Amino acid sequence: MKFFKVIFDGIPEITFAHSYETTSYRFHFSPKENRIEFSLVETGDVSVDYEDGTHQHFYAPYFHPSFYSQSHTSYSNAPFHRHITFGITAPFHFSELCENEVIQCWKSNFSQELKHPAMAIIPDVVTEKKTLQKIEALIQNIILNFAMHNNPQQLSCLSDFFSLLSVLTYESIRQATFSEEVTITPAETAYCNKASEYIALHLNEKISVGDIAGSLGISVGYFSRIFKSVTGYSAVDFINLQKISLAKQLLQQQKPISDIAELLGITDEKYFYRLFKKYTGMTTKKYREGTKEQYQYKE
């Protein structure tokens, strides 16, 4: 588990903010000074190959910062990928921290860090559901305000950005203080990769944990345990989050709720409404209204 202590030596400027979706995601990124990108991937697992030969695989939904310190290629083999993102430029320096160093900063009440005008501790990845909901709301606000191109709204963007740094610092402390050592074998990781692919291919059906375990040839209990260890989600939560991510896409296309539920393999519309509210914190109507406003401002 990695964390980054970031110290800003000047006021950050938000340079871009948008949502992005595609059926074929693959980009190469070159090193860039004084730039950080903050991305929340809603659907479509992502792999990253770095110039130094290291590799990371992220299970959607997740949040991840990119410091552009070395060349890397990001790609997804999922049939559909969607993320929301924004970037900042500012003079800054950062260092990698381990869990104990995060805890030491916290226990000292960040006494050394208070010498700097702006500092945050950012986790390498966030998957915790409630924290992701906070992050999503802040990034959506930044995207909306950035599109309006006026000074008061730019100030609102910066306000939301610093609120995001606060959320990420608290999340770093939570991860560092409550983490447990878990040994995960390559075989278990492979099982979870195949499970993620199975879920992506069967989103239009009713998916049970037993179906997935059966496709892998392992027991339900063993599958549930390793999936939670590898992804940070229970299999049921992961399935539902993938369905809700697809539902967001369909809502933006103004499809009827009955059609959306059917496309997700859900026969009870009331259950779909409850599921959407549970995982997004808002009703389908409110979500539709929000996306309409976003596109209007873009125009």
Side-chain angles (χ1 to χ4, degrees), residues 143-157:
I143 292 171
L144 182 62
N145 288 319
F146 182 79
M148 297 179 71
H149 302 294
N150 62 57
N151 188 60
Q153 299 308 122
Q154 296 304 307
L155 291 174
S156 294
C157 285

Side-chain angles (χ1 to χ4, degrees), residues 87-212:
I88 64 103
T89 57
F92 71 90
H93 55 283
F94 74 99
S95 57
E96 188 174 323
L97 302 181
C98 66
E99 294 168 8
N100 286 337
E101 289 171 320
V102 174
I103 293 171
Q104 287 172 10
C105 288
W106 174 52
K107 287 185 175 179
S108 68
N109 201 26
F110 299 96
S111 56
Q112 294 298 316
E113 289 72 19
L114 289 175
K115 299 175 183 177
H116 304 281
M119 184 282 305
I121 297 178
I122 301 175
D124 184 48
V125 63
V126 177
T127 59
E128 200 275 327
K129 182 170 68 175
K130 289 184 178 178
T131 305
L132 282 180
Q133 288 175 348
K134 294 177 184 177
I135 293 171
E136 180 180 12
L138 288 167
I139 295 180
Q140 291 285 17
N141 281 343
I142 289 171
I143 292 171
L144 182 62
N145 288 319
F146 182 79
M148 297 179 71
H149 302 294
N150 62 57
N151 188 60
Q153 299 308 122
Q154 296 304 307
L155 291 174
S156 294
C157 285
L158 283 177
S159 174
D160 286 326
F161 171 63
F162 284 113
S163 294
L164 176 64
L165 293 183
S166 176
V167 169
L168 294 173
T169 299
Y170 278 114
E171 173 62 14
S172 296
I173 295 168
R174 187 194 70 80
Q175 289 187 18
T177 53
F178 293 100
S179 63
E180 297 178 352
E181 287 294 327
V182 179
T183 302
I184 300 169
T185 67
E188 290 172 339
T189 300
Y191 277 135
C192 292
N193 287 339
K194 290 179 181 178
S196 179
E197 292 172 3
Y198 179 95
I199 292 167
L201 291 171
H202 294 82
L203 278 181
N204 62 330
E205 304 170 15
K206 183 178 180 180
I207 307 171
S208 72
V209 178
D211 292 335
I212 304 171

Side-chain angles (χ1 to χ4, degrees), residues 9 36 73 86 94 156 158 177 211 213 222 231 268 274-275:
D9 301 312
I36 311 175
T73 300
F86 74 95
F94 74 99
S156 294
L158 283 177
T177 53
D211 292 335
Y222 175 60
T231 68
D268 185 344
R274 293 197 302 271
L275 197 69

Side-chain angles (χ1 to χ4, degrees), residues 30 39 41 69 71 84 90 92 108 121 124 159 165 206 212 259 263 277 287:
S30 300
S39 301
V41 175
S69 55
S71 295
I84 54 176
F92 71 90
S108 68
I121 297 178
D124 184 48
S159 174
L165 293 183
K206 183 178 180 180
I212 304 171
D259 290 357
L263 287 168
K277 180 71 179 291
Y287 181 81

Side-chain angles (χ1 to χ4, degrees), residues 22-27 40-48 55-64 73-83 125 127 189-201 203 227 230-231 233 238-239 241-243 245:
T22 181
T23 56
S24 179
Y25 178 76
R26 187 179 186 90
F27 286 99
L40 190 151
V41 175
E42 297 178 342
T43 187
D45 298 353
V46 173
S47 294
V48 184
H55 172 85
Q56 284 183 294
H57 185 83
F58 300 100
Y59 293 92
Y62 70 91
F63 166 87
H64 173 67
T73 300
S74 297
Y75 57 94
S76 176
N77 295 321
F80 180 79
H81 171 91
R82 174 179 166 81
H83 69 251
V125 63
T127 59
T189 300
Y191 277 135
C192 292
N193 287 339
K194 290 179 181 178
S196 179
E197 292 172 3
Y198 179 95
I199 292 167
L201 291 171
L203 278 181
F227 194 84
V230 172
T231 68
Y233 292 96
F238 188 86
I239 292 166
L241 284 165
Q242 298 302 308
K243 285 182 179 285
S245 182

